[in-house]
Amino acid sequence: VMAFISLIKFDNLLYINKYNNCLFKVVFVLFVGLLPIFSFAQERIKPVNISLWNPVATSKYDSLSTTYFTFGLGQSKVHNLKGVGINGIAGKITGNLTGVNISGIGSHVHGNMKGLSTAGIINVVSGSTKGVEFASLLNMNIGAMRGIQFAGLSSMSIGPMRGIQLSGGYNVASSEMKGIQVSAIGNITARGSNILQISGLFNMGLESMKGIQLAAGNFADTIKGLQLGILNVSSSTRKGVQIGLVNYSGDKSGLQLGLVNLSRSSELDIM
């Protein structure tokens, strides 16, 4: 009798285990199947937004929404923009921009930007950028930048810059710069690697520079490459060349070709 009871208990235990395994599989399949639906529900689609001045708009601002086209007679405000935005005065994108955004005065993308952002006066991207920024006055990119910045007065990149900066005034790359800086007044970079700086007045590399500086005055902490101008100054010219009227280097490890050549470790050299 005891053996029979034990057998029944064992069969019941097997049945319960099979039932639990089956239930687990059903729940797991349902979870995986419904997950995309839940994820989609979190991103609300608002295809078109027509705005006089936010919040006076056809679509109320939603921090989880994605818009494909927004037009602001004065100003529009959307979260994610995947498409085209046109604004008479200002455009504000609190999320990411993938596409084109055109504003008469100012544009601010709080997230990342992939595409083109152009404004009559000022462009600001708080995240990273892959694309083109154009403004008559100022471009400012806080995150990493890969692409082209063109501004009438100044282009600035706080994060690492890979690409081209063009301006009628001056360009600033606060982190590492790889690419080309061209300006009428001056170019400034913290660190330059494989960089070309061309300016009417001055070029400045606050730390190490690997590349070419062409301007009336060129300044670098350490230069590996070429400085060509009226005045060339570097703390160290390692595997570098200075060509100008006056050249100064903190050491004599590079080549100096000029009317007056100075170095901390040697006497005055006048050609």
Side-chain angles (χ1 to χ4, degrees), residues 138-149:
L138 173 66
N139 286 313
M140 178 175 289
N141 200 90
I142 309 300
M145 172 74 190
R146 286 180 178 268
I148 300 173
Q149 287 183 316

Side-chain angles (χ1 to χ4, degrees), residues 169 181-187 197-203 214-216:
Q181 289 181 314
V182 180
S183 70
I185 297 176
N187 298 308
Q197 289 183 318
I198 301 175
S199 175
L201 187 57
F202 72 90
N203 293 312
L214 304 175

Side-chain angles (χ1 to χ4, degrees), residues 189-202:
T189 183
R191 295 181 303 277
S193 178
N194 299 323
I195 183 175
L196 171 62
Q197 289 183 318
I198 301 175
S199 175
L201 187 57
F202 72 90

